[in-house]
Amino acid sequence: MNANVSPLDTLIELARGARDQAGQALASERQNEQQVAGQLASLNQYRLEYAQRLQQAMCDGIDPATLRNYQQFLDSLDAALARSQQALQAQQKRVGQRQAQWRQEQHKLSSYDTLASRRQQEQQRREARQELRLSDELVNGRLARARHTSDM
């Protein structure tokens, strides 16, 4: 480990890595959510089209056995839609959990960054005070030498 790397710097790097991993997990869950939502939309569209076919068949005249087949298939589509809706809700919950995790990691990183910034500001203040002291000492030394040489 580099001697110039402080424990806070290490924490910042670890927090940044955790935040980035949380971001990747969130992106993955959002992509899954889009896929599930797309499947649900497709299933809804198919169900709508099938119901329209049933309407047309009923207008054209349909025998009871065919009507029963249409209704059974619509029932199975409705069940698939319900399962798909539940899957979407579960996926949305996972997205929410990943968002919360990402926010938590980002908050932790921000806290560490704030500490590092305060530390850097304090270091700059110390260096400025030290520089001022050295400058004052040099000026005072010159004044003392100038007095000393003028007294001779």
Side-chain angles (χ1 to χ4, degrees):
M1 183 178 244
N2 189 340
N4 293 335
V5 177
S6 72
L8 183 57
D9 293 333
T10 302
L11 285 174
I12 289 171
E13 285 307 310
L14 290 172
R16 186 171 287 121
R19 190 258 339 250
D20 292 349
Q21 283 182 332
Q24 290 170 350
L26 174 58
S28 176
E29 292 295 352
R30 281 186 176 157
Q31 185 177 22
N32 290 341
E33 178 186 25
Q34 289 175 347
Q35 288 175 341
V36 171
Q39 291 168 352
L40 178 60
S42 294
L43 200 52
N44 268 320
Q45 182 62 37
Y46 183 67
R47 198 237 183 254
L48 178 64
E49 290 170 5
Y50 200 79
Q52 289 171 344
R53 281 192 224 149
L54 174 58
Q55 276 301 114
Q56 186 60 46
M58 287 173 50
C59 288
D60 294 344
I62 189 171
D63 63 273
T66 304
L67 177 62
R68 192 170 32 261
N69 287 340
Y70 267 101
Q71 288 173 334
Q72 286 175 345
F73 189 67
L74 283 172
D75 288 344
S76 68
L77 282 175
D78 288 339
L81 279 166
R83 287 189 304 274
S84 186
Q85 184 64 42
Q86 288 173 345
L88 180 59
Q89 289 171 349
Q91 187 60 39
Q92 289 169 335
K93 183 177 180 180
R94 284 190 290 277
V95 167
Q97 290 168 338
R98 293 295 185 176
Q99 282 176 321
Q101 181 185 11
W102 182 87
R103 277 190 217 104
Q104 181 181 7
E105 296 298 341
Q106 179 62 34
H107 179 72
K108 186 188 305 182
L109 177 59
S110 295
S111 297
Y112 292 150
D113 281 341
T114 299
L115 288 173
S117 176
R118 286 179 186 162
R119 182 203 300 156
Q120 183 180 11
Q121 289 170 355
E122 181 58 34
Q123 179 65 30
Q124 288 170 346
R125 280 192 291 272
R126 278 193 304 269
E127 288 172 1
R129 282 193 303 264
Q130 184 178 6
E131 193 174 309
L132 184 60
R133 268 194 304 269
L134 288 174
S135 176
D136 287 348
E137 288 173 8
L138 285 174
V139 168
N140 289 335
R142 284 185 190 149
L143 285 174
R145 281 192 303 277
R147 283 189 201 132
H148 182 17
T149 54
S150 68
D151 288 343
M152 292 182 148

